[in-house]
Amino acid sequence: MEDVAKRAGVALGTVSNVINRPQKVSRSTIEKVQRAISELGFVPNRAARALAAGTSNTIGVVIADLSNSFFVDMARGAESVAAESSINVVLANTDMRRSKQASNLDLFRQERMAGILLAPLPGADSSLLTGRNGTPLVFLNDAAIEGACTVSVDNEHGGYLAATHLLAIGRRRLLFAGDPAQAVPIADRLRGVERAVREVVDASLEVIRTPEVQAENGRTLGFDIASRPTSERPDGIIAAADLLALGLVQILGSDPSIRIPEDIAITGYDNNRAAWESLVPITTIAQPGEQIGAVAMALLLEEIRDPEGHEHAHSVLEPTLVVRASTQRT
Amino acid sequence: MEDVAKRAGVALGTVSNVINRPQKVSRSTIEKVQRAISELGFVPNRAARALAAGTSNTIGVVIADLSNSFFVDMARGAESVAAESSINVVLANTDMRRSKQASNLDLFRQERMAGILLAPLPGADSSLLTGRNGTPLVFLNDAAIEGACTVSVDNEHGGYLAATHLLAIGRRRLLFAGDPAQAVPIADRLRGVERAVREVVDASLEVIRTPEVQAENGRTLGFDIASRPTSERPDGIIAAADLLALGLVQILGSDPSIRIPEDIAITGYDNNRAAWESLVPITTIAQPGEQIGAVAMALLLEEIRDPEGHEHAHSVLEPTLVVRASTQRT
DNA sequence: GAATGTAATTGAAGCGCTTCACAATATACC
DNA sequence: GGTATATTGTGAAGCGCTTCAATTACATTC
């Protein structure tokens, strides 16, 4: 930077001003300095800047599992909001390992990031906030944390939406597939389903716990249902996840005695690629991943700009129903 | 850090030594200093360290598209190698946008990262290397670049593997689906297929260009093939991607006059989740994503440790054939 | 033309660490 | 005991920037 100053015939501080506060510098000086910068191929040193300024203008996003596109969507939403304020975003992948979550958080705090967005592993609590050196932190996809902003999705409402949709198209013998004890969001979804069922007099609900929510589990359950006498089959199935629904559709759809959706209508959850690539496209509940990221970033920027006046908010976003052929012929 | 030194009753430099070169410090001093560190909740400032030391110990990975699990695998492989040398890894998502690729590279160079791993957008060239301030850079999944290390996969061999497999199970009327003009890797795969076909006297090859390689295109092509007279149908199909193969399997598999794999065997490419979640699991060519990341990180670390003696390497990894039910009954 | 105000520029003082020449202390050997 | 050799510990210099009080240049106004 000194070389740039010398070459442009100005002082060190002026170069800094050209870079950070151009409105404070005269037009002609800006040009001189910028010419010198490009002639010298000057690359500013952010480490020095972060040190001198006490904070960087980069925000770190720690993601529980990058192989899950839901989280990638959040990152994308966060980035688009950050870009508007020309703030940089870097990511770190927790890869479902608790130790990496901790080390990634440490890393970003040590780098004196302007702020951190964290999509935590299940079971996050406010202990993740301790040890922080004042770096603002917003939680993604987790509502149950005090002492910080959180942005999450209303899973109970998602379950309610799915069930209401099935009830609306005349289904009365509903089946929920997925283990509510396995994950809090699944339990929430089930509660929403139960609420919807309670609202309709002659509707019934059966719950079948699957060990996981993969396609394989859906197929197993599919064979089970196909082997039942017709009268004991459900006429509407709410799967706790799209892959589970996919497995169900694969098996039930290839049974000649069962028509989808006439005999059995099926809904998934998440709006995975699996849902729309299926031979029978699957009705699903779409989670607003990008929106989560965008809202969280907005909250974080607000906290960064006004750390004193900031009050922690808990934003809950609504999922939406995406109707496809697995519940409704087009 | 000064406070830590004071509290531990040692000099500033000693605290630094405890953190960076504990072997130079006596056992008792280490303990004193560490106690002070934890009592004071001291969080080292990496910005200052990077400035003073002239380089950080974190490596930046710029990924063309994080929603593609192939790239996420690379990141994972890179991280696991970096972790062995306790080097940190942060990611940036290009999200298929050229401008973001440039800005992410800038960012990492300005941060004075120890090195950069870049999975570039199609059409990368060595211009991405100019303007770099000596930051070592290794290209992922791209072979055609001079002046830097590259790690890529042998797509020609992948195509050869797929075709050889079909020929080995007795198929002679092969069909390649996918547009070689659309992407260089697809053209490479086709070349491999052609080579394999040339090696077998009575084998023939038909090429059908699909606009894209999505499931939808596979379905369209599937209907086309199903409508042909039996004698004009291929008995082996090599799809340029798994989703394309999935679409084919969905349509051909539900046609009562066609059995998979007896009448038509189908291979995909990439080993996507789509391939193994299919009702008929799809034979595919697996790309060693994690290995690409691991090898690239190893090369990068080598270059960082010995910038002078380093010679750029072009590592080409081999894909592997994964046989599933779409070509072979189990 | 002097007084006043505003805009542009300067340069020195740090930011929190690493590094390194040097000093202090301990250990080994003759 | 004295000298050489490790082993530890010290603290000042400086990494490349931001910031800000102080200075200078230039326009207005009366």
Side-chain angles (χ1 to χ4, degrees):
Chain A
M1 198 159 118
E2 209 178 301
D3 299 343
V4 173
K6 210 159 286 171
R7 176 149 194 150
V10 300
L12 209 61
T14 302
V15 177
S16 176
N17 281 338
V18 169
I19 295 172
N20 301 303
R21 283 180 299 276
Q23 70 282 14
K24 293 258 151 204
V25 183
S26 76
R27 205 137 195 69
S28 63
T29 309
I30 291 186
E31 272 165 27
K32 273 191 304 186
V33 171
Q34 264 165 354
R35 188 164 334 116
I37 286 180
S38 69
E39 281 170 5
L40 264 49
F42 168 73
V43 177
N45 184 328
R46 269 172 196 275
R49 174 196 297 222
L51 178 58
T55 176
S56 82
N57 71 151
T58 304
I59 283 175
V61 181
V62 179
I63 292 289
D65 181 15
L66 270 185
S67 26
N68 184 334
S69 64
F70 181 37
F71 290 118
V72 177
D73 287 345
M74 291 182 207
R76 185 178 298 119
E79 278 180 55
S80 67
V81 170
E84 290 166 13
S85 311
S86 48
I87 289 203
N88 300 294
V89 171
V90 301
L91 310 175
N93 187 10
T94 294
D95 210 16
M96 299 306 281
R97 293 214 296 279
R98 206 152 288 277
S99 62
K100 286 196 68 181
Q101 175 166 287
S103 64
N104 284 331
L105 283 175
D106 272 1
L107 174 64
F108 286 160
R109 298 214 247 250
Q110 294 181 5
E111 300 253 25
R112 296 296 190 275
M113 293 284 181
I116 297 178
L117 249 41
L118 171 64
L121 292 172
D125 57 41
S126 47
S127 73
L128 291 169
L129 292 167
T130 67
R132 72 190 181 126
N133 50 342
T135 311
L137 167 18
V138 172
F139 286 88
L140 299 172
N141 199 33
D142 204 312
I145 287 154
E146 287 307 315
C149 288
T150 64
V151 181
S152 56
V153 184
D154 188 346
N155 278 290
E156 197 271 354
H157 183 65
Y160 182 79
L161 277 180
T164 306
H165 170 62
L166 290 176
L167 292 165
I169 60 175
R171 306 313 157 110
R172 287 297 177 270
R173 298 191 310 283
L174 300 192
L175 170 71
F176 181 89
D179 188 353
Q182 181 198 310
V184 174
I186 294 185
D188 292 342
R189 292 167 198 178
L190 176 55
R191 275 194 297 110
V193 171
E194 289 168 341
R195 176 159 64 90
V197 169
R198 250 181 275 122
E199 291 175 2
V200 175
V201 168
D202 55 343
S204 68
L205 175 67
E206 175 185 1
V207 176
I208 293 199
R209 314 199 159 195
T210 60
E212 288 186 86
V213 290
Q214 302 302 314
E216 184 52 36
N217 309 293
R219 281 182 218 124
T220 307
L221 178 56
F223 285 121
D224 172 41
I225 292 172
S227 69
R228 297 184 184 180
T230 316
S231 63
E232 287 177 26
R233 290 180 189 155
D235 56 8
I237 303 180
I238 295 145
D242 280 339
L243 279 175
L244 192 59
L246 175 65
L248 284 163
V249 168
Q250 285 174 343
I251 299 307
L252 299 177
S254 58
D255 186 316
S257 76
I258 300 176
R259 291 163 305 163
I260 297 178
E262 289 81 356
D263 299 318
I264 305 184
I266 300 176
T267 66
Y269 209 106
D270 285 348
N271 200 21
N272 266 356
R273 165 170 257 167
W276 36 273
E277 296 293 11
S278 168
L279 185 52
V280 177
I282 298 172
T283 292
T284 195
I285 304 295
Q287 310 229 52
E290 294 205 17
Q291 202 189 336
I292 294 177
V295 170
M297 180 60 80
L299 285 171
L300 183 58
L301 292 179
E302 189 190 304
E303 181 167 356
I304 290 169
R305 277 168 193 150
D306 178 17
E308 313 303 323
H310 176 83
E311 300 214 345
H312 295 316
H314 299 273
S315 173
V316 178
L317 305 178
E318 297 301 332
T320 54
L321 176 72
V322 179
V323 177
R324 299 207 183 90
S326 72
T327 61
Q328 210 154 62
R329 281 257 172 269
T330 46
Chain B
M1 199 159 117
E2 210 177 299
D3 299 343
V4 173
K6 210 159 285 171
R7 177 147 192 152
V10 299
L12 209 61
T14 302
V15 177
S16 176
N17 282 336
V18 168
I19 295 171
N20 300 302
R21 284 179 299 277
Q23 70 281 14
K24 292 257 154 204
V25 183
S26 77
R27 205 139 194 69
S28 63
T29 311
I30 292 187
E31 272 165 28
K32 273 192 304 187
V33 171
Q34 263 165 355
R35 187 163 336 115
I37 286 180
S38 69
E39 282 171 4
L40 264 49
F42 167 73
V43 176
N45 183 328
R46 270 173 195 273
R49 175 196 296 222
L51 178 57
T55 175
S56 82
N57 72 154
T58 96
I59 283 175
V61 181
V62 179
I63 292 289
D65 181 16
L66 269 185
S67 26
N68 184 333
S69 65
F70 182 35
F71 290 118
V72 178
D73 287 345
M74 291 182 207
R76 186 179 296 118
E79 277 181 56
S80 66
V81 170
E84 290 166 13
S85 310
S86 45
I87 289 203
N88 300 294
V89 171
V90 301
L91 310 175
N93 187 11
T94 293
D95 210 17
M96 299 306 282
R97 293 215 296 278
R98 206 152 289 276
S99 62
K100 286 196 67 180
Q101 175 167 286
S103 65
N104 284 331
L105 283 175
D106 272 1
L107 175 64
F108 285 160
R109 298 214 248 249
Q110 293 180 6
E111 299 252 26
R112 297 295 190 275
M113 292 286 181
I116 298 177
L117 249 41
L118 171 64
L121 292 173
D125 57 39
S126 47
S127 72
L128 291 170
L129 292 169
T130 67
R132 73 194 181 121
N133 50 342
T135 311
L137 169 21
V138 172
F139 285 89
L140 299 171
N141 199 36
D142 205 313
I145 286 155
E146 287 307 314
C149 289
T150 65
V151 181
S152 57
V153 183
D154 189 347
N155 278 289
E156 197 271 356
H157 183 65
Y160 182 78
L161 276 180
T164 306
H165 169 62
L166 290 177
L167 292 165
I169 58 173
R171 307 313 159 108
R172 288 297 176 269
R173 299 191 309 284
L174 300 191
L175 171 70
F176 180 89
D179 189 352
Q182 182 198 310
V184 174
I186 294 185
D188 292 341
R189 292 167 198 178
L190 175 54
R191 277 194 296 110
V193 170
E194 289 168 339
R195 176 159 64 89
V197 169
R198 253 181 272 119
E199 290 174 4
V200 174
V201 169
D202 56 344
S204 68
L205 175 67
E206 174 185 2
V207 176
I208 293 198
R209 314 198 158 196
T210 61
E212 288 187 84
V213 290
Q214 302 301 314
E216 185 52 37
N217 309 292
R219 280 181 220 126
T220 308
L221 179 55
F223 286 121
D224 172 39
I225 292 173
S227 68
R228 296 184 187 182
T230 315
S231 64
E232 287 178 26
R233 289 180 189 156
D235 57 7
I237 303 180
I238 296 144
D242 279 339
L243 279 175
L244 192 59
L246 175 65
L248 284 163
V249 168
Q250 285 174 343
I251 299 307
L252 299 178
S254 59
D255 186 316
S257 77
I258 300 176
R259 290 164 306 163
I260 296 179
E262 288 81 356
D263 300 318
I264 304 183
I266 300 176
T267 66
Y269 209 108
D270 286 346
N271 199 22
N272 266 354
R273 166 169 256 167
W276 37 273
E277 297 292 11
S278 168
L279 186 52
V280 178
I282 298 172
T283 293
T284 195
I285 304 295
Q287 310 229 54
E290 293 206 18
Q291 204 189 335
I292 293 177
V295 169
M297 181 59 80
L299 286 170
L300 184 59
L301 292 179
E302 190 190 304
E303 180 168 355
I304 289 169
R305 278 170 191 148
D306 178 16
E308 313 304 323
H310 176 82
E311 302 214 344
H312 294 317
H314 297 274
S315 174
V316 178
L317 304 178
E318 298 300 333
T320 53
L321 176 73
V322 179
V323 177
R324 300 207 183 92
S326 72
T327 62
Q328 211 155 61
R329 280 258 173 267
T330 46

